[in-house]
Amino acid sequence: MHYIFIFLLFISISTAQINYKTIQLPKTIEETSGLEYFGDYLLTHNDSGDKPTLYVFSDTGKMVQAIRIYGIKNKDWEDITSDSDHYYVSDTGNNVGTRENLTVYILSKELIPQGKIKIKYEAQTTFSRDPRTPYDAEAIASVGDQLVLFSKNRKTFQSQIYRFPKTEGTYNLTPEAVLETESLITAADYNEAHDLVALTGYTYKGEQFFYTLTDFVKNGMDQIQLKKYLIPIGKAQVEAVKIIDDRTFWVSSESEQDGIPKLYQLELEP
């Protein structure tokens, strides 16, 4: 018999102010769902409903290029992350828990497909429709030689943390920790220089939240330091995040509130 230990991690609510500026994005990326750097530009994608396409745009919101990726599918792309050698596109959207083809696509730095990582949730035994499924995930980050997936749990409004290798294969996932986020987590990023994870999430009331997990690798899964901030942008749906430094971040939101997708530069006050 073996035992799986899951650490339940609570949050501290920060009273620090978030300052931000808003940049309108082209309507082509109305469901912007991931953010990464691509040279001097930013890279994003839409989620379900679009072709397998990555969009390059400037930090002023100007579209630079749309790059169609052939040989892979966009069932429900929800996030993108990278390391020095590859990009990883997370086709892991699973809104009602029916998917059995959850995939992370490995792309070269030139955005050429290099392989597939298939994932399954060890605890999921049925795939019948469940609008409150705990087996959805929209947030992925590259951390060392692993990918870290943060769940979007509609049943508990927590977020389970899963880890798996960056190499091709099929992996059965079990959670290593549970974050008491009290929201639906939609995006993640990790910065090695600051050992920092950033997350975004929202509630059904339209509240948008930003989270930092400091000393993520140093502390390990049992001592994660999680802080929660309210993003004061009103009703929106924040879906992507990219760390600039330990106090400034890019965040993008879908267009569903007013028809215009947006890029925000957030700054945390000391």
Side-chain angles (χ1 to χ4, degrees):
M1 180 180 294
H2 66 281
Y3 298 90
I4 299 172
F5 295 93
I6 301 175
F7 298 100
L8 184 62
L9 304 169
F10 293 88
I11 60 175
S12 61
I13 307 296
S14 177
T15 57
Q17 178 78 21
I18 289 185
N19 297 317
Y20 69 95
K21 67 176 182 181
T22 306
I23 300 160
Q24 291 190 3
L25 295 176
K27 290 188 177 182
T28 309
I29 47 177
E30 63 181 358
E31 291 188 333
T32 169
S33 195
L35 283 176
E36 255 303 341
Y37 289 125
F38 188 71
D40 294 329
Y41 298 107
L42 288 162
L43 191 67
T44 191
H45 54 80
N46 291 315
D47 54 26
S48 58
D50 196 8
K51 296 176 181 178
T53 302
L54 292 168
Y55 300 90
V56 183
F57 66 98
S58 72
D59 59 11
T60 62
K62 181 181 179 181
M63 181 66 70
V64 175
Q65 188 179 9
I67 303 172
R68 175 74 180 271
I69 312 298
Y70 290 94
I72 64 176
K73 297 179 180 180
N74 180 353
K75 176 67 174 177
D76 195 353
W77 288 8
E78 289 293 354
D79 208 355
I80 185 170
T81 188
S82 73
D83 55 24
S84 58
D85 299 314
H86 297 99
Y87 289 96
Y88 305 89
V89 178
S90 187
D91 192 346
T92 55
N94 194 23
N95 289 340
V96 291
T98 58
R99 288 188 64 186
E100 298 184 58
N101 59 345
L102 302 174
T103 304
V104 178
Y105 293 106
I106 306 170
L107 308 180
S108 70
K109 298 304 278 189
E110 295 75 34
L111 304 180
I112 298 170
Q114 301 282 293
K116 301 176 184 178
I117 300 168
K118 296 183 179 298
I119 59 173
K120 300 178 180 179
Y121 298 104
E122 184 74 29
Q124 186 174 13
T125 57
T126 64
F127 295 87
S128 56
R129 182 182 178 85
D130 181 4
R132 298 181 65 233
T133 182
Y135 302 115
D136 189 13
E138 297 187 1
I140 198 169
S142 169
V143 182
D145 61 357
Q146 295 183 313
L147 295 171
V148 181
L149 193 69
F150 298 84
S151 75
K152 182 180 183 179
N153 191 324
R154 291 177 174 82
K155 191 178 294 292
T156 65
F157 278 67
Q158 298 170 324
S159 184
Q160 286 70 32
I161 303 178
Y162 303 92
R163 292 192 291 185
F164 53 95
K166 293 178 175 178
T167 54
E168 277 196 290
T170 299
Y171 303 99
N172 293 323
L173 306 186
T174 57
E176 298 188 33
V178 180
L179 303 177
E180 289 287 356
T181 53
E182 299 178 337
S183 73
L184 299 173
I185 294 301
T186 58
D189 190 33
Y190 175 72
N191 183 284
E192 183 178 12
H194 298 290
D195 196 11
L196 175 68
V197 167
L199 304 173
T200 60
Y202 70 94
T203 68
Y204 290 139
K205 296 179 181 178
E207 299 166 311
Q208 306 298 305
F209 291 104
F210 180 79
Y211 303 81
T212 58
L213 289 71
T214 55
D215 296 327
F216 184 72
V217 172
K218 178 183 176 181
N219 284 345
M221 288 291 176
D222 58 335
Q223 298 184 59
I224 292 176
Q225 298 178 18
L226 177 65
K227 289 187 178 180
K228 180 179 182 179
Y229 305 82
L230 178 67
I231 306 175
I233 58 174
K235 289 188 177 182
Q237 187 159 316
V238 170
E239 288 280 342
V241 62
K242 186 64 192 171
I243 298 170
I244 301 172
D245 57 43
D246 62 339
R247 302 211 68 82
T248 52
F249 309 84
W250 293 116
V251 168
S252 62
S253 69
E254 295 183 346
S255 65
E256 59 185 46
Q257 295 301 321
D258 58 8
I260 302 172
K262 296 181 178 68
L263 178 72
Y264 303 93
Q265 184 174 334
L266 305 185
E267 182 178 0
L268 305 182
E269 287 191 353

